[in-house]
């Protein structure tokens, strides 16, 4: 049984930083990929960042240079360090697991629909 639980969301002023965490169980980090996607009110879900078992990362253009995805396999945790936050980053952020091998996507993040597992989300509000 795969379980993903996000934490670390909150309210922050523009230019600030937040670090999201995702504690996962039932899904070995050594498998294909884990990542983050988000959904703002009234908008479609958007892939944000992904990391595979080799540590290869891909970011959406909208967050490149500002967000960093990482994982701690020993602790079964996935992280998203977010810096230089903008109001347009306001969204519910979801941790997700198991997509195709990243080579399938080229330099693009996987669409949220390609993940087989995801958590309940954590809200990030930037004002």
């Amino acid at each position: 049984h795969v379980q993903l639980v996000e934490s670390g969301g909150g309210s922050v002023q523009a230019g600030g930083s937040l670090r999201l965490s995702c504690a996962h169980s039932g899904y070995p980090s050594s498998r294909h990929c884990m990542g983050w996607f988000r959904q703002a009110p009234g908008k479609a879900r958007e892939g944000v960042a992904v990391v595979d078992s080799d540590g290869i990362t891909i970011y959406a253009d909208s967050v490149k240079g500002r967000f960093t995805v990482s994982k701690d396999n020993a602790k079964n945790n996935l992280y998203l360090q977010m810096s230089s936050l903008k109001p347009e980053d306001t969204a519910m952020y979801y941790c997700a697991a198991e997509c195709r091998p990243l080579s399938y996507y080229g330099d693009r993040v996987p669409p949220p629909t390609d993940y087989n597992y995801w958590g309940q989300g954590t809200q990030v509000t930037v004002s």
Side-chain angles (χ1 to χ4, degrees), residues 2-125:
V2 176
Q3 189 171 17
L4 306 170
V5 180
E6 304 92 339
S7 61
S11 297
V12 64
Q13 290 188 336
S17 299
L18 281 175
R19 188 195 196 203
L20 305 184
S21 298
C22 172
H24 58 90
S25 60
Y27 183 81
S29 298
S30 58
R31 292 183 64 178
H32 292 314
C33 73
M34 295 195 72
W36 297 88
F37 64 86
R38 64 188 181 185
Q39 187 168 25
K43 294 189 177 181
R45 292 181 172 184
E46 172 192 25
V48 174
V50 64
V51 57
D52 74 359
S53 56
D54 293 325
I56 296 173
T57 57
I58 304 175
Y59 297 91
D61 288 344
S62 58
V63 306
K64 278 181 184 177
R66 301 188 298 120
F67 290 11
T68 302
V69 60
S70 62
K71 58 180 181 172
D72 185 331
N73 291 342
K75 294 183 178 179
N76 284 344
N77 278 345
L78 179 74
Y79 305 102
L80 185 68
Q81 178 67 48
M82 305 185 295
S83 303
S84 301
L85 283 162
K86 305 175 181 179
E88 51 263 45
D89 294 318
T90 295
M92 185 72 78
Y93 283 73
Y94 298 87
C95 169
E98 194 166 273
C99 62
R100 302 171 191 261
L102 292 193
S103 58
Y104 176 85
Y105 302 102
D107 61 352
R108 301 175 67 88
V109 290
T113 50
D114 271 23
Y115 290 103
N116 288 329
Y117 307 101
W118 54 91
Q120 293 299 308
T122 186
Q123 178 68 37
V124 172
T125 303

